[in-house]
Amino acid sequence: MKEITREMIRIYKPKRIDWMGYDINSIRDLTYHHIQKKEHGGPFTLDNGALLRGDTSHEYLHIIEYKDLDMYLYINNILKQINDQQA
């Protein structure tokens, strides 16, 4: 697990669900999702991250990215709003 993910877990203290509403079975399941993609200059920072389950919601979000880019951007906007409210 990346240090930024550990830091977000410490700050946001997720209990039952990740930021897309998927059940958290274990904190170790959580991954860092770049809201602004790293290949587009998105940094590994708290304000550019979302906590998602790596084995479900994170993978699903990237499937959505390839199938429906507008929906992917819409969801990322929601994740940014969640991030902004929790900071």
Side-chain angles (χ1 to χ4, degrees), residues 1 9 14-16 23-31 52-55:
M1 180 180 292
I9 290 168
K15 300 276 188 272
R16 296 176 295 116
D23 290 335
I24 298 171
N25 297 324
S26 168
I27 290 298
R28 292 173 296 201
D29 293 338
L30 293 173
T31 59
L52 301 178
R53 279 191 53 179
D55 61 343

Side-chain angles (χ1 to χ4, degrees), residues 12-52:
Y12 300 124
K13 299 174 180 52
K15 300 276 188 272
R16 296 176 295 116
I17 59 171
D18 73 3
W19 290 17
M20 284 183 57
Y22 283 73
D23 290 335
I24 298 171
N25 297 324
S26 168
I27 290 298
R28 292 173 296 201
D29 293 338
L30 293 173
T31 59
Y32 178 93
H33 168 72
H34 281 86
I35 294 171
Q36 179 187 5
K37 294 178 71 87
K38 63 183 171 185
E39 55 262 24
H40 297 150
F44 268 109
T45 58
L46 294 174
D47 63 335
N48 190 45
L51 291 171
L52 301 178

Side-chain angles (χ1 to χ4, degrees), residues 69-81:
L69 184 58
D70 288 337
M71 181 57 70
Y72 172 79
L73 295 173
Y74 181 80
I75 293 169
N76 268 322
N77 184 47
I78 292 170
L79 295 175
K80 177 68 174 154
Q81 291 177 30

